[in-house]
Amino acid sequence: MSVWSFDYRPHRRFVATAEHSAQVWRLLLGIVLAAAIFLALSRMLISTVFTVLEPGARSTLIADGSSGQTAGGMLLMLFQLGLLAVTAAIVVIMVHKRRPSTLIGPLGLAARQFMAVLAILAILIVVLTILPPYGYGDDSGALERNMGLGRWLLLLPFALIAVLVQTGAEEIFFRGYIQQQLAARFRSPLVWMLLPAFLFGIGHYLPESAGSNAVTIAVWATVFGLLMADLTARSGTLGPAMAVHFVNNISAMVLTSTPDEMSGLALYVLPFGIGDEAAMAAWLPVDFGFMLVMWLAARLAIRA
């Protein structure tokens, strides 16, 4: 089947397990419960971490956890977001009376699709790294080393696990839970694709740190959500979306990051920060292009 096919029949199988509890009130109740459960679990996580820290280190960790500028703060942030998966699992059991594994789709198929997309994206990253251009513009300067290679390699296994947990949890919540429940109730993709993507974009709206680029970044995240919704509908599992999200965040958090936001695990940082409006505005179109190429590569990997 063509890479451009929009045959979403696999999506109907994906959402079939949600059809017996597809009432809108259940979804609204689930989202409210999810917010409350996530906050409660986050407090439990932070309290648990605090028990092993000296009093003076606690305020530092809280500050680092909000900006992600240290390795400890970044790991805390990522694992905290991973609680979204636990939250979604609790909600589908309590409100929708079904197994949490149904949020992902057939697990064997999801795993195979995840690995297929991961493999093609790994090849894509290598090719893009080898091919020119190698800089970020004539006046932007080169990438700057954020930490020593030895320390980065020691942190790498923990970083990979944390990013996998974070990206997997976000896909389970937005494309698994919200998209699945909406699609079980509404046939139109304008509902089950747009609404979860819009909520995902709102979560990336950061006017305090991004300035005038905040709207563009939120639009980027919304488009990303739409593309992940398409991959989920095309494949019938969360496997491809999880793989793309994982590779995207590894690139943006573990390989190269901005120096002022979520740089605690990155080997390199860009020569400009998220608050540098002119430089970020120039770089975001490149990021849009990279996102589209990854989406097309993933579609190529799962075509049948």
mmCIF file of all heavy atoms in Angstrom, residues 71-98:
data_model
loop_
_atom_site.group_PDB
_atom_site.id
_atom_site.type_symbol
_atom_site.label_atom_id
_atom_site.label_comp_id
_atom_site.label_asym_id
_atom_site.label_seq_id
_atom_site.Cartn_x
_atom_site.Cartn_y
_atom_site.Cartn_z
ATOM 1 N N ALA A 71 20.966 17.279 35.262
ATOM 2 C CA ALA A 71 20.587 15.903 34.953
ATOM 3 C C ALA A 71 19.522 15.397 35.921
ATOM 4 O O ALA A 71 18.537 14.766 35.516
ATOM 5 C CB ALA A 71 21.825 15.010 35.005
ATOM 6 N N GLY A 72 19.695 15.697 37.235
ATOM 7 C CA GLY A 72 18.706 15.256 38.213
ATOM 8 C C GLY A 72 17.346 15.886 37.987
ATOM 9 O O GLY A 72 16.313 15.215 38.055
ATOM 10 N N GLY A 73 17.339 17.185 37.707
ATOM 11 C CA GLY A 73 16.079 17.868 37.448
ATOM 12 C C GLY A 73 15.402 17.356 36.199
ATOM 13 O O GLY A 73 14.167 17.207 36.157
ATOM 14 N N MET A 74 16.188 17.066 35.176
ATOM 15 C CA MET A 74 15.622 16.576 33.921
ATOM 16 C C MET A 74 15.026 15.173 34.102
ATOM 17 O O MET A 74 13.938 14.880 33.600
ATOM 18 C CB MET A 74 16.711 16.557 32.849
ATOM 19 C CG MET A 74 16.201 16.337 31.447
ATOM 20 S SD MET A 74 15.141 17.694 30.916
ATOM 21 C CE MET A 74 14.645 17.094 29.316
ATOM 22 N N LEU A 75 15.736 14.304 34.823
ATOM 23 C CA LEU A 75 15.216 12.958 35.064
ATOM 24 C C LEU A 75 13.930 13.017 35.880
ATOM 25 O O LEU A 75 12.973 12.275 35.609
ATOM 26 C CB LEU A 75 16.269 12.107 35.778
ATOM 27 C CG LEU A 75 17.482 11.710 34.929
ATOM 28 C CD1 LEU A 75 18.543 11.052 35.797
ATOM 29 C CD2 LEU A 75 17.087 10.783 33.787
ATOM 30 N N LEU A 76 13.890 13.907 36.875
ATOM 31 C CA LEU A 76 12.678 14.060 37.676
ATOM 32 C C LEU A 76 11.516 14.516 36.799
ATOM 33 O O LEU A 76 10.395 13.987 36.897
ATOM 34 C CB LEU A 76 12.918 15.063 38.805
ATOM 35 C CG LEU A 76 11.696 15.380 39.690
ATOM 36 C CD1 LEU A 76 11.202 14.128 40.396
ATOM 37 C CD2 LEU A 76 12.039 16.475 40.696
ATOM 38 N N MET A 77 11.759 15.491 35.931
ATOM 39 C CA MET A 77 10.720 15.991 35.046
ATOM 40 C C MET A 77 10.177 14.890 34.135
ATOM 41 O O MET A 77 8.960 14.726 33.981
ATOM 42 C CB MET A 77 11.263 17.141 34.191
ATOM 43 C CG MET A 77 10.279 17.708 33.196
ATOM 44 S SD MET A 77 11.061 18.836 32.006
ATOM 45 C CE MET A 77 11.566 20.164 33.097
ATOM 46 N N LEU A 78 11.073 14.106 33.537
ATOM 47 C CA LEU A 78 10.652 13.080 32.587
ATOM 48 C C LEU A 78 9.881 11.955 33.269
ATOM 49 O O LEU A 78 8.848 11.495 32.766
ATOM 50 C CB LEU A 78 11.872 12.521 31.851
ATOM 51 C CG LEU A 78 12.600 13.509 30.930
ATOM 52 C CD1 LEU A 78 13.883 12.889 30.381
ATOM 53 C CD2 LEU A 78 11.703 13.966 29.796
ATOM 54 N N PHE A 79 10.379 11.498 34.421
ATOM 55 C CA PHE A 79 9.681 10.418 35.120
ATOM 56 C C PHE A 79 8.350 10.902 35.695
ATOM 57 O O PHE A 79 7.394 10.127 35.787
ATOM 58 C CB PHE A 79 10.567 9.824 36.213
ATOM 59 C CG PHE A 79 11.598 8.870 35.686
ATOM 60 C CD1 PHE A 79 12.950 9.134 35.819
ATOM 61 C CD2 PHE A 79 11.223 7.708 35.029
ATOM 62 C CE1 PHE A 79 13.903 8.260 35.322
ATOM 63 C CE2 PHE A 79 12.167 6.820 34.527
ATOM 64 C CZ PHE A 79 13.509 7.096 34.682
ATOM 65 N N GLN A 80 8.282 12.181 36.063
ATOM 66 C CA GLN A 80 7.006 12.722 36.518
ATOM 67 C C GLN A 80 5.977 12.695 35.394
ATOM 68 O O GLN A 80 4.818 12.308 35.597
ATOM 69 C CB GLN A 80 7.188 14.141 37.036
ATOM 70 C CG GLN A 80 5.908 14.757 37.594
ATOM 71 C CD GLN A 80 6.108 16.166 38.108
ATOM 72 O OE1 GLN A 80 7.184 16.732 38.008
ATOM 73 N NE2 GLN A 80 5.064 16.752 38.661
ATOM 74 N N LEU A 81 6.383 13.083 34.176
ATOM 75 C CA LEU A 81 5.475 13.012 33.036
ATOM 76 C C LEU A 81 5.097 11.567 32.717
ATOM 77 O O LEU A 81 4.007 11.300 32.199
ATOM 78 C CB LEU A 81 6.112 13.679 31.821
ATOM 79 C CG LEU A 81 6.210 15.206 31.885
ATOM 80 C CD1 LEU A 81 7.072 15.741 30.754
ATOM 81 C CD2 LEU A 81 4.819 15.834 31.833
ATOM 82 N N GLY A 82 5.986 10.639 33.047
ATOM 83 C CA GLY A 82 5.677 9.230 32.845
ATOM 84 C C GLY A 82 4.491 8.750 33.660
ATOM 85 O O GLY A 82 3.872 7.730 33.329
ATOM 86 N N LEU A 83 4.143 9.501 34.710
ATOM 87 C CA LEU A 83 2.982 9.151 35.522
ATOM 88 C C LEU A 83 1.680 9.269 34.744
ATOM 89 O O LEU A 83 0.639 8.757 35.182
ATOM 90 C CB LEU A 83 2.925 10.040 36.764
ATOM 91 C CG LEU A 83 4.067 9.857 37.772
ATOM 92 C CD1 LEU A 83 3.976 10.897 38.871
ATOM 93 C CD2 LEU A 83 4.064 8.448 38.351
ATOM 94 N N LEU A 84 1.712 9.952 33.590
ATOM 95 C CA LEU A 84 0.519 10.024 32.743
ATOM 96 C C LEU A 84 0.048 8.634 32.317
ATOM 97 O O LEU A 84 -1.153 8.396 32.176
ATOM 98 C CB LEU A 84 0.792 10.878 31.507
ATOM 99 C CG LEU A 84 0.805 12.397 31.691
ATOM 100 C CD1 LEU A 84 1.278 13.077 30.416
ATOM 101 C CD2 LEU A 84 -0.581 12.904 32.088
ATOM 102 N N ALA A 85 0.989 7.716 32.113
ATOM 103 C CA ALA A 85 0.612 6.357 31.719
ATOM 104 C C ALA A 85 -0.097 5.642 32.869
ATOM 105 O O ALA A 85 -1.104 4.951 32.660
ATOM 106 C CB ALA A 85 1.854 5.580 31.289
ATOM 107 N N VAL A 86 0.424 5.802 34.079
ATOM 108 C CA VAL A 86 -0.216 5.206 35.251
ATOM 109 C C VAL A 86 -1.604 5.801 35.436
ATOM 110 O O VAL A 86 -2.579 5.096 35.730
ATOM 111 C CB VAL A 86 0.645 5.433 36.504
ATOM 112 C CG1 VAL A 86 -0.009 4.799 37.728
ATOM 113 C CG2 VAL A 86 2.051 4.881 36.302
ATOM 114 N N THR A 87 -1.696 7.120 35.266
ATOM 115 C CA THR A 87 -2.977 7.812 35.388
ATOM 116 C C THR A 87 -3.995 7.272 34.391
ATOM 117 O O THR A 87 -5.144 6.976 34.753
ATOM 118 C CB THR A 87 -2.765 9.319 35.143
ATOM 119 O OG1 THR A 87 -1.918 9.840 36.170
ATOM 120 C CG2 THR A 87 -4.078 10.059 35.147
ATOM 121 N N ALA A 88 -3.585 7.142 33.127
ATOM 122 C CA ALA A 88 -4.499 6.629 32.101
ATOM 123 C C ALA A 88 -4.939 5.205 32.411
ATOM 124 O O ALA A 88 -6.113 4.851 32.213
ATOM 125 C CB ALA A 88 -3.831 6.697 30.728
ATOM 126 N N ALA A 89 -4.012 4.396 32.913
ATOM 127 C CA ALA A 89 -4.347 3.015 33.242
ATOM 128 C C ALA A 89 -5.406 2.956 34.347
ATOM 129 O O ALA A 89 -6.366 2.178 34.274
ATOM 130 C CB ALA A 89 -3.088 2.270 33.672
ATOM 131 N N ILE A 90 -5.234 3.784 35.375
ATOM 132 C CA ILE A 90 -6.204 3.804 36.476
ATOM 133 C C ILE A 90 -7.569 4.256 35.976
ATOM 134 O O ILE A 90 -8.613 3.691 36.348
ATOM 135 C CB ILE A 90 -5.699 4.724 37.603
ATOM 136 C CG1 ILE A 90 -4.423 4.139 38.231
ATOM 137 C CG2 ILE A 90 -6.777 4.922 38.664
ATOM 138 C CD1 ILE A 90 -3.760 5.054 39.229
ATOM 139 N N VAL A 91 -7.580 5.277 35.112
ATOM 140 C CA VAL A 91 -8.843 5.834 34.631
ATOM 141 C C VAL A 91 -9.602 4.823 33.781
ATOM 142 O O VAL A 91 -10.827 4.676 33.925
ATOM 143 C CB VAL A 91 -8.588 7.137 33.844
ATOM 144 C CG1 VAL A 91 -9.828 7.551 33.056
ATOM 145 C CG2 VAL A 91 -8.193 8.259 34.800
ATOM 146 N N VAL A 92 -8.919 4.114 32.882
ATOM 147 C CA VAL A 92 -9.656 3.164 32.030
ATOM 148 C C VAL A 92 -10.199 1.993 32.838
ATOM 149 O O VAL A 92 -11.234 1.426 32.491
ATOM 150 C CB VAL A 92 -8.798 2.652 30.843
ATOM 151 C CG1 VAL A 92 -8.429 3.784 29.919
ATOM 152 C CG2 VAL A 92 -7.567 1.911 31.311
ATOM 153 N N ILE A 93 -9.517 1.649 33.921
ATOM 154 C CA ILE A 93 -10.040 0.589 34.784
ATOM 155 C C ILE A 93 -11.258 1.086 35.561
ATOM 156 O O ILE A 93 -12.305 0.424 35.609
ATOM 157 C CB ILE A 93 -8.947 0.100 35.763
ATOM 158 C CG1 ILE A 93 -7.838 -0.628 34.991
ATOM 159 C CG2 ILE A 93 -9.554 -0.827 36.814
ATOM 160 C CD1 ILE A 93 -6.637 -0.983 35.842
ATOM 161 N N MET A 94 -11.150 2.280 36.149
ATOM 162 C CA MET A 94 -12.210 2.802 37.008
ATOM 163 C C MET A 94 -13.441 3.255 36.224
ATOM 164 O O MET A 94 -14.574 2.944 36.600
ATOM 165 C CB MET A 94 -11.678 3.973 37.839
ATOM 166 C CG MET A 94 -10.657 3.605 38.892
ATOM 167 S SD MET A 94 -10.048 5.085 39.772
ATOM 168 C CE MET A 94 -11.579 5.761 40.428
ATOM 169 N N VAL A 95 -13.211 3.993 35.144
ATOM 170 C CA VAL A 95 -14.313 4.659 34.439
ATOM 171 C C VAL A 95 -14.813 3.844 33.248
ATOM 172 O O VAL A 95 -16.014 3.810 32.973
ATOM 173 C CB VAL A 95 -13.884 6.067 33.976
ATOM 174 C CG1 VAL A 95 -15.015 6.766 33.220
ATOM 175 C CG2 VAL A 95 -13.435 6.913 35.171
ATOM 176 N N HIS A 96 -13.901 3.172 32.549
ATOM 177 C CA HIS A 96 -14.277 2.526 31.289
ATOM 178 C C HIS A 96 -14.298 0.999 31.365
ATOM 179 O O HIS A 96 -14.676 0.344 30.374
ATOM 180 C CB HIS A 96 -13.340 2.993 30.174
ATOM 181 C CG HIS A 96 -13.334 4.477 29.986
ATOM 182 N ND1 HIS A 96 -14.310 5.139 29.284
ATOM 183 C CD2 HIS A 96 -12.480 5.436 30.430
ATOM 184 C CE1 HIS A 96 -14.061 6.440 29.296
ATOM 185 N NE2 HIS A 96 -12.962 6.641 29.989
ATOM 186 N N LYS A 97 -13.874 0.449 32.501
ATOM 187 C CA LYS A 97 -13.986 -0.985 32.756
ATOM 188 C C LYS A 97 -13.312 -1.831 31.673
ATOM 189 O O LYS A 97 -13.880 -2.796 31.151
ATOM 190 C CB LYS A 97 -15.467 -1.400 32.880
ATOM 191 C CG LYS A 97 -16.315 -0.517 33.785
ATOM 192 C CD LYS A 97 -15.804 -0.507 35.207
ATOM 193 C CE LYS A 97 -16.697 0.355 36.101
ATOM 194 N NZ LYS A 97 -16.159 0.483 37.477
ATOM 195 N N ARG A 98 -12.108 -1.450 31.320
ATOM 196 C CA ARG A 98 -11.348 -2.250 30.351
ATOM 197 C C ARG A 98 -9.882 -2.288 30.730
ATOM 198 O O ARG A 98 -9.424 -1.559 31.608
ATOM 199 C CB ARG A 98 -11.536 -1.702 28.924
ATOM 200 C CG ARG A 98 -11.113 -0.267 28.698
ATOM 201 C CD ARG A 98 -11.570 0.178 27.313
ATOM 202 N NE ARG A 98 -11.290 1.563 27.013
ATOM 203 C CZ ARG A 98 -10.226 1.991 26.333
ATOM 204 N NH1 ARG A 98 -9.333 1.122 25.875
ATOM 205 N NH2 ARG A 98 -10.063 3.279 26.075
#
